[in-house]
Amino acid sequence: MSERKKRKPGETREKLMSAVLTLVGKGRHFASLGIREVTRQAGVVPTSFYRHFRNMDDLGLQLVDELGLVLRRMMREARENVFQADKLIEESVGIFVSHAQANRSFFLFMAQGLAGESRAIQDGIRSEMRYFSTELANDLRRLKLADHLTDGDLEMTCDLVVRSVAFSLTDLMGVSAEDEYQVEQIRKRTCRFLQLIFVGAAHWDNKQA
Amino acid sequence: MSERKKRKPGETREKLMSAVLTLVGKGRHFASLGIREVTRQAGVVPTSFYRHFRNMDDLGLQLVDELGLVLRRMMREARENVFQADKLIEESVGIFVSHAQANRSFFLFMAQGLAGESRAIQDGIRSEMRYFSTELANDLRRLKLADHLTDGDLEMTCDLVVRSVAFSLTDLMGVSAEDEYQVEQIRKRTCRFLQLIFVGAAHWDNKQA
DNA sequence: ACAACATGTGCACAAGTGTACACATTAGGT
DNA sequence: ACCTAATGTGTACACTTGTGCACATGTTGT
């Protein structure tokens, strides 16, 4: 009953997954990738694919799961590095941008999947975003930064925040990672978006009537 | 020198374009479509394709142009139907939603193109959004609804509005057009997003320091 | 050590793909 | 009415694709 011996349990599997990410990173769209192309990129024989995935969508779904891990890691880092509230937005957006650069292909895949052709993958990504949004709401509650908002309004605010950041993602993916200036522009603009949203949230209740 | 005689100048051409829209409407992703598939759907022989387009991306670009027309028509209707400021958001979002339903495939194509694999198409759609955003800014200025904002801040606000609506588009495309309840939920949620943003904009200057 | 299984490989094949070429039809301007 | 250009069609070919099958290899549990 010792199951942790496998020397390379999913070596090919990982090669296939990162082959997809590589291709996506090169500008290809996930929906246009075929099994043969992916196996070729992974340096594996086509039939090997079926040892690990039933089809491309299956592989995509498992990529979404890994994407979840990346996002969680990012969120943890954000929580550890944000000390005072006034720098909250700048710090968080900064961490987001640097993660997006470090895992470019992953986030590219995410951006694609939002309007992709597999409904399951769409739902998976959407679900990750929802999770992210509720966690953000929890944090804001804990930091006492949202005391005047009802749960519903806080949820909505966080949803809008997450959406805006996700949209900035597409901006970010549109410019080369080395273009420091453009990246910086996007970072600043995203911060301003979030500030605007939070100003709106701070003054929300009186308008709610 | 009379050039308007052509009986069916671009009949096949239109058939090809709407064939793409049909396939996209059926849930396919633009990036995964091939020339043969499209011509088959259009009921045309494969080689005809090259009479009108150089490749799929070319066709996509021309679809973006048509999309621009759809968007402009939508904006015109919005301008004609919005009378007083307090219903501005509800009216506009309503018009947006109904247009998105009426031209589902078109908007689906737009949502896909934002993270598609053709850079040119991405830029085209982005450019349409920018246009939309600046027009919105002009309207708000004209209606005296943004007097306390600098041009830059107004531009940012409108950009955020357009992005939020565009993201709602992906929500909308995710539910069946007949699911009245879900569509209504999305409509309401989008309105709340915009309200939140405008509340933020209304109180922006004091925070700007 | 041996049986059971998971994983990787090679081969095969029918189907689909992009596109070149030559030809048929039609439309437009004179 | 005629020439030219635009548009549509059929055939052809080399190539890619998904996937089934049989076999090789390695790994695990007893």
Side-chain angles (χ1 to χ4, degrees):
Chain A
M1 286 187 198
S2 65
E3 284 126 2
R4 27 80 168 261
K5 270 197 210 166
K6 313 169 188 173
R7 225 182 56 200
K8 331 166 176 177
E11 195 190 358
T12 304
R13 175 203 183 86
E14 284 192 15
K15 274 201 281 192
L16 287 171
M17 293 219 247
S18 56
V20 167
L21 290 182
T22 303
L23 289 171
V24 166
K26 282 184 186 168
R28 302 291 314 277
H29 193 291
F30 178 76
S32 78
L33 297 180
I35 289 176
R36 278 190 118 105
E37 197 177 3
V38 173
T39 54
R40 196 182 314 132
Q41 168 75 34
V44 178
V45 92
T47 37
S48 263
F49 183 91
Y50 299 100
R51 301 291 183 192
H52 305 277
F53 312 101
R54 264 185 301 140
N55 48 44
M56 278 303 264
D57 279 2
D58 186 18
L59 193 162
L61 273 180
Q62 308 204 213
L63 271 181
V64 173
D65 290 345
E66 272 202 35
L67 176 65
L69 299 181
V70 175
L71 292 178
R72 265 152 257 251
R73 222 174 303 145
M74 180 172 92
M75 190 149 50
R76 182 156 0 107
E77 181 174 338
R79 271 201 264 256
E80 286 167 358
N81 286 61
V82 171
F83 303 114
Q84 73 272 50
D86 58 330
K87 288 291 178 197
L88 188 144
I89 291 178
E90 281 77 5
E91 291 274 2
S92 303
V93 171
I95 290 171
F96 166 73
V97 169
S98 63
H99 268 74
Q101 300 287 30
N103 306 292
R104 213 173 150 71
S105 308
F106 246 123
F107 283 76
L108 217 25
F109 170 76
M110 171 174 169
Q112 291 184 354
L114 270 172
E117 82 178 354
S118 156
R119 186 57 180 283
I121 292 181
Q122 265 180 59
D123 291 345
I125 293 180
R126 230 159 262 271
S127 154
E128 291 296 336
M129 285 181 58
R130 221 170 7 240
Y131 173 81
F132 210 84
S133 172
T134 60
E135 286 295 303
L136 175 59
N138 289 342
D139 285 0
L140 292 186
R141 274 266 183 269
R142 191 167 336 123
L143 295 172
K144 304 283 180 202
L145 289 174
D147 287 340
H148 64 298
L149 290 176
T150 68
D151 280 358
D153 289 338
L154 176 58
E155 190 216 331
M156 174 196 61
T157 305
C158 292
D159 195 7
L160 183 54
V161 166
V162 170
R163 281 155 180 262
S164 303
V165 173
F167 210 110
S168 289
L169 189 56
T170 27
D171 299 335
L172 210 48
M173 298 294 114
V175 309
S176 101
E178 290 83 19
D179 193 339
E180 294 268 4
Y181 175 74
Q182 293 256 44
V183 171
E184 183 60 13
Q185 288 299 108
I186 294 171
R187 206 188 56 72
K188 275 198 258 185
R189 177 157 267 253
T190 306
C191 286
R192 291 218 295 164
F193 285 155
L194 299 198
Q195 278 159 354
L196 182 61
I197 294 171
F198 281 124
V199 171
H203 298 261
W204 178 248
D205 35 16
N206 22 355
K207 186 89 177 189
Q208 178 69 329
Chain B
M1 284 187 201
S2 64
E3 284 126 1
R4 29 83 167 258
K5 271 197 206 165
K6 311 172 190 173
R7 225 183 56 200
K8 332 166 175 176
E11 196 190 358
T12 304
R13 175 204 182 84
E14 282 191 16
K15 275 202 282 191
L16 287 171
M17 293 218 246
S18 57
V20 167
L21 289 181
T22 304
L23 289 170
V24 165
K26 282 184 183 167
R28 301 291 314 277
H29 193 291
F30 178 78
S32 78
L33 297 179
I35 288 176
R36 277 188 119 104
E37 195 178 5
V38 172
T39 55
R40 197 182 313 133
Q41 167 76 32
V44 178
V45 90
T47 38
S48 265
F49 184 90
Y50 298 99
R51 299 292 183 193
H52 305 276
F53 311 100
R54 265 185 300 139
N55 49 44
M56 278 301 264
D57 278 3
D58 187 17
L59 195 162
L61 272 180
Q62 308 204 212
L63 271 180
V64 172
D65 290 345
E66 272 202 35
L67 176 66
L69 299 181
V70 174
L71 292 179
R72 265 151 257 248
R73 221 175 303 147
M74 181 172 93
M75 190 148 51
R76 182 156 2 107
E77 181 174 338
R79 272 200 264 254
E80 286 166 358
N81 286 62
V82 171
F83 304 113
Q84 72 271 52
D86 57 333
K87 289 291 180 193
L88 188 143
I89 291 177
E90 280 79 4
E91 292 275 3
S92 302
V93 171
I95 290 171
F96 166 74
V97 169
S98 63
H99 268 75
Q101 302 286 30
N103 306 292
R104 207 161 157 54
S105 309
F106 247 124
F107 284 77
L108 218 24
F109 170 75
M110 171 173 168
Q112 290 183 356
L114 270 171
E117 81 179 353
S118 155
R119 185 56 180 282
I121 293 181
Q122 266 181 59
D123 290 345
I125 293 180
R126 228 160 264 268
S127 153
E128 292 295 336
M129 286 180 58
R130 217 165 16 234
Y131 173 82
F132 210 85
S133 173
T134 60
E135 286 295 301
L136 176 58
N138 289 342
D139 285 359
L140 292 185
R141 273 265 184 268
R142 189 166 340 123
L143 295 172
K144 305 281 181 202
L145 289 173
D147 286 340
H148 64 298
L149 289 177
T150 69
D151 282 358
D153 288 338
L154 176 58
E155 191 216 330
M156 173 195 63
T157 305
C158 293
D159 195 8
L160 183 54
V161 166
V162 171
R163 280 154 182 263
S164 303
V165 173
F167 210 110
S168 289
L169 188 57
T170 25
D171 299 336
L172 210 48
M173 298 294 114
V175 310
S176 101
E178 291 82 22
D179 192 338
E180 294 268 5
Y181 175 75
Q182 293 255 45
V183 172
E184 184 60 14
Q185 289 299 110
I186 293 172
R187 209 188 54 72
K188 275 197 260 185
R189 178 157 266 255
T190 306
C191 286
R192 292 218 294 162
F193 285 154
L194 299 198
Q195 278 159 355
L196 183 60
I197 293 171
F198 281 124
V199 172
H203 297 262
W204 178 248
D205 35 15
N206 24 355
K207 185 88 175 190
Q208 178 68 329

